[in-house]
Amino acid sequence: MIEATDFIKPARNRGYDFYCGVPCSFLTPFINRALSDATLDYVAATSEGEAVAIAAGAWLAGRKTVVMCQNSGLGNAVNPLTSLNFPFRIPTLIITTLRGAPGLADEPQHELMGTITHPLLDLLDIRHAPFPTDQQTVEGALELATQDMDKRNLPYAFTMQKDSVADSPPGPGGPSPTISGRVQDLSDLTSPASRIDALACLLTVVPETAALIATTGKCGRELFTLADRQQHFYQVGSMGCAAAMGLGVALNTRKKTVIIDGDGALLMKMGTLATIGSYGPENLVHVVLDNGAYDSTGGQATVSSGIDFAQIAASSGYPQAYKCTSLSGFENAVSLAIQTSGPHFIHMKIAPGSAKNLGRPTIKPADVARRFKGFLGAAELPDQSN
């Protein structure tokens, strides 16, 4: 057994200073220490998949990250681990517990995952090792993990047995209380615009100093067709994770961060609205282009017609949310969001369908990630307007 600081301090010395996760009783002392350590950032996610995506965004913004979760939560994280971290080659250090491990008396819901945790990590192409429980072995374990991530640009996992870390009392830190925001209705009776016209409008308003993260499917494909820039991230997989990745970026850069989401994608992980509202990055603008359909898979209807996304976002802590049905209202909302502190939420109703003969991004995902990371790391030029 080690103290939490026996791991956290040498990990911090190697640059691991951004933690994100979902609690497990095995992790309690570890999370308590991370929350109380002023030299670390810890984001409490609503799901393990969200935590992986937040950490991916933080890595793109230059942080070295640690994701902590219960092993049952690995099932929740399989999608971003396989369709975000793997194709984009985004590493993160994972600490997953071993609930239900063979020989451990535990609750019945952990029995199967306790048996398959290591084989699952193998299938995910995530190399792993036991979490170090002796102070003398921590440095060596971190060295092996870091070398592997540096070489492969993929996650690496430590699997933590029960009572690996000594108890630690809870400390200050954590998300802020949620305060409801305001909804401004800019809707009119104009016929809904196409997604590509809405994206074109967005590009005319958003400054080139802003980072844009486009959700999977035809949203990213149309953005690439309109303009391919280093500040564009085309999230070709991990449906539902664009908002979480955008949060990870926005918390770690001063640049405006614009998430371009879809109704179907947002419905997958609506808990992220609460996480964004609670942590409240002022530079974040969350746009949802709602066509009421899963356009990339044949146009099947979503359930968005009965959802007031803007009101949900405002109730989740976004200070300002907008409803739009026309390009003029959308342009007005984006302009206001860019010029003022957020986070802002913009719900734009659009027509179903997409541009004909639509291509796909020709840049490999790993290259998209690295040029985007380079953009985020570049210093902003001083304002020459005066």
Side-chain angles (χ1 to χ4, degrees), residues 144-195:
L144 287 174
T146 301
Q147 286 181 358
D148 185 80
M149 287 187 283
D150 288 346
K151 180 179 180 180
R152 304 176 73 227
N153 290 308
L154 291 174
Y156 185 95
F158 287 128
T159 54
M160 179 187 284
Q161 296 274 3
K162 186 178 182 180
D163 297 328
S164 293
V165 183
D167 286 340
S168 176
S176 302
T178 298
I179 300 174
S180 293
R182 184 172 71 99
V183 176
Q184 186 172 353
D185 195 342
L186 301 177
S187 303
D188 56 38
L189 298 178
T190 305
S191 297
S194 66
R195 179 176 46 244

Side-chain angles (χ1 to χ4, degrees), residues 26-275:
F26 290 12
L27 289 166
T28 297
F30 212 91
I31 293 174
N32 287 344
R33 175 53 61 186
L35 282 168
S36 62
D37 191 327
T39 67
L40 305 177
D41 289 317
Y42 179 84
V43 175
T46 61
S47 74
E48 293 80 5
E50 179 188 293
V52 170
I54 291 171
W59 180 85
L60 289 166
R63 305 293 293 272
K64 293 182 75 170
T65 66
V66 180
V67 171
M68 299 188 289
C69 68
Q70 188 178 106
N71 52 339
S72 349
L74 280 175
N76 218 322
V78 165
N79 176 261
L81 287 171
T82 57
S83 63
L84 177 60
N85 293 75
F86 185 84
F88 289 96
R89 291 300 194 266
I90 295 176
T92 189
L93 182 60
I94 299 170
I95 300 175
T96 181
T97 59
L98 274 177
R99 299 295 302 265
L104 176 67
D106 210 330
E107 299 299 321
Q109 68 268 26
H110 300 302
E111 180 180 353
L112 178 58
M113 186 56 84
T115 302
I116 68 170
T117 294
H118 291 137
L120 177 59
L121 289 170
D122 291 334
L123 285 172
L124 296 175
D125 198 18
I126 296 175
R127 293 179 180 169
H128 53 90
F131 183 84
T133 56
D134 184 285
Q135 189 176 1
Q136 305 304 315
T137 63
V138 171
E139 284 283 5
L142 282 168
E143 177 66 19
L144 287 174
T146 301
Q147 286 181 358
D148 185 80
M149 287 187 283
D150 288 346
K151 180 179 180 180
R152 304 176 73 227
N153 290 308
L154 291 174
Y156 185 95
F158 287 128
T159 54
M160 179 187 284
Q161 296 274 3
K162 186 178 182 180
D163 297 328
S164 293
V165 183
D167 286 340
S168 176
S176 302
T178 298
I179 300 174
S180 293
R182 184 172 71 99
V183 176
Q184 186 172 353
D185 195 342
L186 301 177
S187 303
D188 56 38
L189 298 178
T190 305
S191 297
S194 66
R195 179 176 46 244
I196 200 164
D197 284 343
L199 290 170
C201 176
L202 181 73
L203 290 177
T204 65
V205 181
V206 172
E208 292 192 5
T209 54
L212 274 68
I213 297 169
T215 190
T216 188
K218 292 186 177 178
C219 180
R221 292 168 64 184
E222 288 186 341
L223 179 63
F224 176 80
T225 299
L226 287 168
D228 178 38
R229 299 169 179 165
Q230 64 172 343
Q231 60 264 46
H232 293 179
F233 191 99
Y234 314 110
Q235 199 176 72
V236 297
S238 55
M239 185 172 174
C241 290
M245 173 181 273
L247 173 61
V249 170
L251 288 172
N252 294 290
T253 181
R254 296 175 60 187
K255 295 182 183 346
K256 282 286 184 181
T257 303
V258 181
I259 302 158
I260 312 170
D261 220 339
D263 52 307
L266 178 57
L267 286 166
M268 272 190 152
K269 290 192 178 292
M270 289 184 70
T272 306
L273 293 175
T275 311

Side-chain angles (χ1 to χ4, degrees), residues 335-346:
S335 297
L336 290 169
I338 292 297
Q339 295 168 15
T340 57
S341 295
H344 294 277
F345 185 90
I346 302 172

Side-chain angles (χ1 to χ4, degrees), residues 312-361:
I312 293 172
S315 299
S316 299
Y318 287 70
Q320 182 66 60
Y322 301 91
K323 298 180 181 181
C324 314
T325 56
S326 66
L327 291 177
S328 60
F330 183 55
E331 181 179 0
N332 187 17
V334 175
S335 297
L336 290 169
I338 292 297
Q339 295 168 15
T340 57
S341 295
H344 294 277
F345 185 90
I346 302 172
H347 178 226
M348 172 66 171
K349 289 290 290 184
I350 60 172
S354 59
K356 293 182 178 180
N357 302 316
L358 186 62
R360 298 177 183 273

